[in-house]
Amino acid sequence: MSERAKLSPPDWWATSIIEMKPGMIRYRGYAIEDLIGRVGFAEMVYLLTRGELPPKPAARLLEAALVAAVDHGPQAPSIAVARMAMTCGIGINNAMASAINTLGDVHGGAGEQCVALFGAIAARLPEGVRDAAAITTAVTAEIDALKARGIRHVPGYGHRFHPLDPRAPRLLALVDEAAAAGAVSGLYAAIGRTIEDVVAARRGGKRVPMNIDGATGVIFAELGFPPPLCRGLFVLSRSVGCLAHAWEESQSDYRNKGPIPRDQIWTYTGPGPRNVPE
């Protein structure tokens, strides 16, 4: 008999996240009645995923990152799917789930990829060395490694809609403020900016500005979140937009609202009319 098979039901579902008994709920040791009204949602996210309540500056940075990515309009697949799904007669939770399920490596995964990239660059730095020259050398080496693996697009940079993503500078400014106050290291902000500089130098001076994924990636890296968890944080953020758009669409009189208006039809690229063989 395996060791797992010997576990009692309570030990089978053992968790360090929540303790619950009749009349008592504790998250990571904190009574829920003490948290309610004293702790914000971003702090609860941090507490449940990291095990401790965050310092106030860290909570502010996390909240800023979550606020920044809530919505990007129906041109974003997740938002469009939420609205289309709602017109199919399903519930709002189903519409949100449909939308969230579109958040993969291409749409929604760049933040995770950015944090992994920033971490790989930081790992190339000699211990205790954080000067600009060393960061540039580490960034250059990691971008060369990406190229060697056939990865041409650096995650977190450039945007198909915004020449300059308006969310990124504000988020970086907040990181700078937190770094100046000693709340975060500022290392990953420096790495993020250096990536932009190195890429621009390789493109003859043409800059590819950091986007929302890069800026939130800087925050998540500064706060020490592991890369896979960062995709979940983006899902939490974008869920707000999915909820709002699904609810708004539920108020319309559209039924089976597709991705293109009904008075238009898609371009057919298959064979012309033909007969079925006898």
Side-chain angles (χ1 to χ4, degrees):
M1 180 181 293
S2 69
E3 291 301 315
R4 288 186 177 183
K6 297 177 184 178
L7 293 175
S8 65
D11 288 336
W12 178 261
W13 291 110
T15 174
S16 63
I17 298 172
I18 181 171
E19 180 185 11
M20 190 171 69
K21 298 175 182 178
M24 182 269 280
I25 303 171
R26 292 182 181 273
Y27 297 128
R28 303 286 194 184
Y30 294 102
I32 184 60
E33 60 269 26
D34 293 337
L35 294 168
I36 294 172
R38 295 186 177 94
V39 170
F41 186 68
E43 291 169 291
M44 284 299 294
V45 171
Y46 193 105
L47 173 63
L48 265 62
T49 58
R50 301 289 294 279
E52 299 292 341
L53 284 169
K56 293 298 181 181
R60 285 194 292 271
L61 279 181
L62 178 56
E63 183 169 1
L66 295 176
V67 166
V70 292
D71 187 14
H72 201 241
Q75 63 87 36
S78 52
I79 300 300
V81 166
R83 300 192 73 113
M84 288 190 293
M86 205 65 197
T87 68
C88 296
I90 62 177
I92 201 165
N93 59 312
N94 305 105
M96 291 179 67
S98 298
I100 289 168
N101 280 333
T102 67
L103 298 174
D105 289 340
V106 176
H107 174 46
E112 174 184 355
Q113 296 157 13
C114 282
V115 176
L117 173 62
F118 297 155
I121 292 169
R124 290 180 178 273
L125 293 171
E127 186 173 355
V129 178
R130 296 292 184 267
D131 62 273
I135 292 175
T136 298
T137 298
V139 166
T140 301
E142 191 59 30
I143 290 179
D144 286 341
L146 291 180
K147 185 177 180 181
R149 298 201 302 271
I151 301 174
R152 297 181 180 180
H153 175 70
V154 179
Y157 294 82
H159 200 287
R160 62 190 176 89
F161 192 83
H162 302 290
L164 175 63
D165 192 325
R167 299 164 290 187
R170 174 58 178 158
L171 291 176
L172 288 176
L174 291 174
V175 174
D176 291 342
E177 291 175 12
V184 296
S185 70
L187 171 63
Y188 296 99
I191 287 174
R193 289 184 168 112
T194 303
I195 291 174
E196 190 173 316
D197 292 339
V198 170
V199 170
R202 294 187 175 199
R203 292 169 56 89
K206 184 178 180 180
R207 303 192 73 81
V208 182
M210 187 183 297
N211 61 29
I212 180 64
D213 299 305
T216 54
V218 166
I219 289 178
F220 296 152
E222 291 283 356
L223 295 180
F225 282 97
L229 197 52
C230 298
R231 187 176 306 203
L233 294 175
F234 178 78
V235 169
L236 281 177
S237 176
R238 184 51 58 88
S239 294
V240 178
C242 294
L243 171 62
H245 280 272
W247 176 248
E248 182 180 66
E249 193 65 61
S250 74
Q251 311 303 305
S252 76
D253 59 356
Y254 284 107
R255 291 172 58 86
N256 294 333
K257 185 177 184 178
I260 55 177
R262 293 175 184 174
D263 60 349
Q264 300 180 30
I265 198 68
W266 57 88
T267 300
Y268 174 66
T269 60
R274 50 184 174 172
N275 297 322
V276 177
E278 295 292 340

